[in-house]
Amino acid sequence: MRKQWFWALAALCAAALAVSIVWMAGPALSGGKAGSEAPGQTAPYLLRDEGGRIALFRPGEQEPVRVYEIYTHLLPQEDVLSLQKGIPVESEEELWRLLEDLGL
């Protein structure tokens, strides 16, 4: 009887592990991040580095909508690289979350 419980528990753990792996690998298997935007759609704004500070741009425009008093040379290198490429911003809530994460 004790052996049956052991094997039942082992099978349950193996099944839970398999489901976890499939769930975590799902976005990678589908070709991107979960909830990523469809091809051809662009975010309404981009956060980028502008003269050593973080600035908010509309895609395709050269003039920033707003420049923030967050100096990029004070940020971690990974954040600076992301800002050089441009960080898409989908909503005002996301903008404020990103600005708080970056130090505003």
Side-chain angles (χ1 to χ4, degrees):
M1 183 71 171
R2 192 172 240 187
K3 243 183 187 180
Q4 290 173 338
W5 279 107
F6 173 78
W7 288 111
L9 183 60
L12 183 62
C13 289
L17 179 62
V19 168
S20 308
I21 290 171
V22 169
W23 180 69
M24 293 297 287
L29 295 175
S30 66
K33 291 169 39 176
S36 64
E37 57 190 42
Q41 291 182 341
T42 59
Y45 295 101
L46 288 173
L47 275 181
R48 293 195 327 230
D49 183 348
E50 174 70 16
R53 294 189 295 175
I54 294 177
L56 185 66
F57 288 85
R58 287 192 178 94
E61 293 186 10
Q62 299 300 317
E63 290 296 316
V65 175
R66 177 146 190 206
V67 179
Y68 298 95
E69 294 297 319
I70 303 173
Y71 294 94
T72 56
H73 71 276
L74 300 174
L75 298 174
Q77 186 67 24
E78 185 177 297
D79 290 340
V80 173
L81 294 174
S82 295
L83 286 166
Q84 288 172 349
K85 293 177 187 175
I87 301 173
V89 179
E90 296 293 332
S91 66
E92 188 172 333
E93 293 82 23
E94 184 178 9
L95 171 64
W96 288 111
R97 182 186 54 79
L98 286 167
L99 291 172
E100 285 177 0
D101 288 348
L102 294 169
L104 184 65

